[in-house]
Amino acid sequence: MNIFKLKINFEETSKPSLELPIAEGESVLDVCLDNGIELQHNCGGVCGCSTCQVYVNSGMDFLQEISDKEEDFIDRAINPRINSRLGCQCVVINGDIEVTLPDQHQFLGH
């Protein structure tokens, strides 16, 4: 199993960037949850909502391809961008990636 680097930036300026290991086949959401990083995932991480949206700054080619279902949910996300992906679907296949987590205070009940 190959291990790569995941750099996580935060829109919330009070949080410093982090670099964490991410294993081949592991998702950004899983790494966040395993390391105590709050990333909403109302559907439980099964590509059934848009709350775990992240912005992929670099390494998009090192992730599994986006599915039609994921694209549909990204269209419903808060402030989607051209580089938006769902954290539960950002599964690393072959290299280092860098993402930015949107401000998590935008979710009701947070």
Side-chain angles (χ1 to χ4, degrees):
M1 174 183 348
N2 294 317
I3 304 293
F4 304 104
K5 283 190 294 185
L6 167 62
K7 181 174 182 182
I8 300 174
N9 303 304
F10 299 90
E11 276 189 345
E12 298 167 69
T13 55
S14 62
K15 295 183 177 182
S17 296
L18 300 170
E19 270 194 20
L20 299 168
I22 186 167
E24 180 180 354
E26 195 171 22
S27 75
V28 169
L29 177 62
D30 287 338
V31 172
C32 287
L33 297 178
D34 289 347
N35 288 279
I37 298 168
E38 203 168 306
L39 180 57
Q40 294 293 317
H41 55 288
N42 292 350
C43 73
V46 296
C47 196
C49 70
S50 62
T51 57
C52 69
Q53 173 193 214
V54 299
Y55 305 123
V56 179
N57 303 326
S58 64
M60 189 74 83
D61 291 341
F62 301 137
L63 299 172
Q64 284 183 349
E65 281 196 42
I66 192 168
S67 68
D68 290 341
K69 182 178 180 182
E70 182 182 359
E71 282 184 3
D72 288 344
F73 280 110
I74 288 171
D75 288 342
R76 302 176 203 169
I78 297 171
N79 300 321
R81 300 179 186 165
I82 192 74
N83 63 332
S84 289
R85 290 290 305 265
L86 299 181
C88 66
Q89 300 301 297
C90 280
V91 176
V92 173
I93 55 173
N94 190 17
D96 300 339
I97 62 171
E98 179 180 343
V99 300
T100 297
L101 272 54
D103 185 340
Q104 298 296 293
H105 290 102
Q106 60 197 335
F107 296 101
L108 294 176
H110 180 73

